[in-house]
Amino acid sequence: MKVWNPINNKKFETFSYLPPLTDAQISKQVDMIIAKGLSPCLEFAPKELSFVSNDNTVRFCGSAAGYYDNRYWTMWKLPMFGCSDASQVLKEIAECRKAYPQCYVRLAAFDSVKQVQVISFLVQRPSGSAMAAMTGEKEMKVWNPINNKKFETFSYLPPLTDAQISKQVDMIIAKGLSPCLEFAPKELSFVSNDNTVRFCGSAAGYYDNRYWTMWKLPMFGCSDASQVLKEIAECRKAYPQCYVRLAAFDSVKQVQVISFLVQRP
């Protein structure tokens, strides 16, 4: 009947009380996911970052309803929107297992109508305790979390050329958004308990160092991508050892809607 033994035996979500699923069993679950119109997605995490813990997490909002530590794992590539064949998912599972043999890997499924995750179960349990990526970032550019912090949109890609940045700026201008440059040194650019002063540690969506130093004023009324590229060049020259990012603001929504790096030190 498989009684759960709680001694040194942590469990994860659906099916964790069963022996590891075979590929054939996983395939049947994927068939069900596809039949329901859901989007499969793979996530992975090392042992030390996969459980609820006070020690291995920085809480954005400790008092939020339903909050628990480490509920977000690292995503393997993008969700498989439009997936129509279980073999596509099994192929990605095999690649993820090969790249991160010492990590837990789970298959999740998202409902595009409810906008929530509705299914999640393990497809790999690690045998050892050390985390090691056996392959680097792959053609799809899987984010490798080992000593490899990333920033927002496009961070999984090689650095953008000026021509590629120019096309993004053309899109920003066409949408009526206002471009703006921001910069920050390495030590002030990441989430950290040590290098920030929190105004309100329990604020919804709060995270450290999300505000960088602004380079001049936002470029209101900008109509030519060359104007933005000129400012990027000046900022790079003035702060070669800083991260520089291009943001875009929506004057109607009054929020930042685009942000990506244009320099990595």
Side-chain angles (χ1 to χ4, degrees):
M1 181 66 184
K2 295 294 181 184
V3 176
W4 176 57
N5 177 6
I7 302 172
N8 297 320
N9 190 24
K10 292 185 177 180
K11 295 296 184 184
F12 296 82
E13 302 152 319
T14 313
F15 302 144
S16 289
Y17 57 90
L18 296 175
L21 299 179
T22 65
D23 283 353
Q25 291 170 325
I26 294 171
S27 180
K28 289 184 178 180
Q29 296 301 318
V30 176
D31 287 338
M32 178 272 293
I33 288 170
I34 293 171
K36 288 182 176 293
L38 307 174
S39 299
C41 175
L42 289 177
E43 301 172 331
F44 63 96
K47 283 186 175 182
E48 64 274 12
L49 297 178
S50 58
F51 299 109
V52 174
S53 170
N54 288 326
D55 302 322
N56 59 13
T57 189
V58 176
R59 291 188 178 88
F60 299 153
C61 179
S63 60
Y67 182 93
Y68 63 95
D69 304 333
N70 301 317
R71 64 200 187 284
Y72 298 119
W73 291 4
T74 303
M75 187 177 291
W76 171 263
K77 303 185 180 179
L78 295 175
M80 288 169 264
F81 302 115
C83 175
S84 58
D85 188 343
S87 65
Q88 298 168 335
V89 179
L90 291 175
K91 177 176 178 291
E92 294 300 331
I93 290 173
E95 288 189 15
C96 188
R97 286 169 172 166
K98 182 179 179 181
Y100 296 100
Q102 303 306 325
C103 284
Y104 286 97
V105 179
R106 68 185 177 196
L107 174 62
F110 295 91
D111 188 313
S112 61
V113 178
K114 297 178 180 177
Q115 292 288 299
V116 293
Q117 177 181 303
V118 292
I119 294 173
S120 177
F121 59 92
L122 287 182
V123 293
Q124 172 171 286
R125 298 175 174 89
S127 56
S129 58
M131 177 182 178
M134 304 306 292
T135 64
E137 296 182 66
K138 308 173 79 63
E139 289 184 1
M140 176 67 185
K141 294 300 176 184
V142 176
W143 177 58
N144 176 2
I146 305 172
N147 298 319
N148 188 23
K149 293 184 177 179
K150 294 295 186 186
F151 296 84
E152 301 148 322
T153 313
F154 303 142
S155 289
Y156 57 89
L157 296 175
L160 299 179
T161 65
D162 283 353
Q164 291 170 326
I165 293 171
S166 180
K167 289 183 179 180
Q168 296 300 319
V169 176
D170 286 338
M171 178 272 295
I172 287 170
I173 293 171
K175 289 181 177 292
L177 306 175
S178 300
C180 176
L181 290 177
E182 300 172 331
F183 63 95
K186 285 186 178 181
E187 64 274 12
L188 297 178
S189 57
F190 298 111
V191 173
S192 171
N193 286 326
D194 304 320
N195 59 13
T196 188
V197 176
R198 291 189 176 85
F199 301 146
C200 179
S202 60
Y206 182 92
Y207 63 96
D208 304 334
N209 301 316
R210 65 199 187 284
Y211 298 120
W212 291 4
T213 303
M214 186 177 291
W215 170 262
K216 301 183 179 179
L217 293 175
M219 288 168 264
F220 301 114
C222 177
S223 58
D224 189 341
S226 65
Q227 298 170 337
V228 179
L229 291 176
K230 178 175 177 293
E231 294 299 330
I232 291 173
E234 288 187 15
C235 188
R236 286 169 173 168
K237 183 177 179 180
Y239 296 99
Q241 300 306 319
C242 285
Y243 286 97
V244 179
R245 68 184 177 196
L246 173 61
F249 294 91
D250 188 315
S251 61
V252 177
K253 296 177 180 177
Q254 293 288 299
V255 293
Q256 177 183 302
V257 292
I258 293 173
S259 176
F260 59 92
L261 288 183
V262 293
Q263 173 171 286
R264 298 174 174 90

